Amino acid sequence: TDVNGNTSTCSGTVTVNDNVNPCCEIPVITCPSNIVVSNDNGVCGAMVTFAASATGTSPVITYSQNPGTLFPIGTTTVTATATNDCGTDICTFTVTVNDTENPVITCLATANITTDVGMCTSTASIGTATGTDSCGTPVITFSPAAPYGLGSTTVTWTATDANGNIATCTQVVTVTDGENPIITCPADVSTCSSTPALGTPVTSD
């Protein structure tokens, strides 16, 4: 129809073909139960295998993440899809990977330090422990903290990873007194006595 009301017509044919096998069955898929595993040794995740099953006429099953691949720490939802010429069916399940591996920590064996000037304790550096983890750098802490008294003190170092796993090692801190005492002599004595009074020196340490 144009703007002035004139019209023209034509016709066409739409043909719908039935190409579906009358014996075809719509797929019905069944997912595995939710999966919980620990991370693989030295890896921040786990290689996880699984398989869904499906009924129907020759269904093809696909996954949003394929089995046998690396799943990260945490929970991943997997969608499984079964498809054939008759239709599609889906189901979902979860794969949870827990970090159960402790970090690795290395301590210095010993620390030999001397007392601070004017003190019977030491705040000198004792070095630091080092730590590694498959899921990042762990937090390093130690106890007890300085100052350290004379003799030997056992210091415990702790590495804590992002998922709360810990590892410890110990270090012996030995403090020695390297500072001489202070002595002040009394004043000089000038006398003809054979038993002069010499006074008493003053000492401190």
Side-chain angles (χ1 to χ4, degrees):
T1 302
D2 65 17
V3 294
N4 297 302
N6 302 300
T7 64
S8 179
T9 63
C10 66
S11 63
T13 300
V14 177
T15 301
V16 179
N17 296 316
D18 179 7
N19 295 320
V20 177
N21 184 343
C23 295
C24 184
E25 295 179 1
I26 296 174
V28 176
I29 192 168
T30 301
C31 276
S33 300
N34 294 335
I35 299 170
V36 179
V37 297
S38 295
N39 65 306
D40 295 340
N41 187 38
V43 180
C44 193
M47 303 287 285
V48 182
T49 59
F50 49 80
S53 61
T55 60
T57 304
S58 302
V60 176
I61 299 176
T62 57
Y63 304 94
S64 57
Q65 180 168 344
N66 288 328
T69 58
L70 182 67
F71 283 77
I73 299 296
T75 300
T76 302
T77 299
V78 178
T79 300
T81 303
T83 304
N84 64 14
D85 291 339
C86 302
T88 297
D89 191 26
I90 64 171
C91 62
T92 61
F93 62 99
T94 59
V95 175
T96 300
V97 180
N98 295 318
D99 178 10
T100 59
E101 185 178 16
N102 291 332
V104 176
I105 189 170
T106 303
C107 282
L108 298 174
T110 59
N112 298 312
I113 55 179
T114 57
T115 52
D116 297 341
V117 175
M119 302 293 292
C120 198
T121 57
S122 178
T123 57
S125 172
I126 62 171
T128 186
T130 57
T132 58
D133 188 69
S134 58
C135 288
T137 302
V139 175
I140 305 294
T141 57
F142 66 98
S143 178
Y148 302 105
L150 285 174
S152 295
T153 301
T154 298
V155 175
T156 300
W157 293 84
T158 302
T160 305
D161 70 16
N163 297 298
N165 301 300
I166 65 172
T168 62
C169 61
T170 58
Q171 176 187 21
V172 176
V173 177
T174 301
V175 179
T176 56
D177 181 4
E179 187 178 15
N180 292 328
I182 298 171
I183 185 169
T184 302
C185 287
D188 294 343
V189 175
S190 177
T191 178
C192 291
S193 170
S194 61
T195 57
L198 299 180
T200 303
V202 178
T203 61
S204 64
D205 188 50

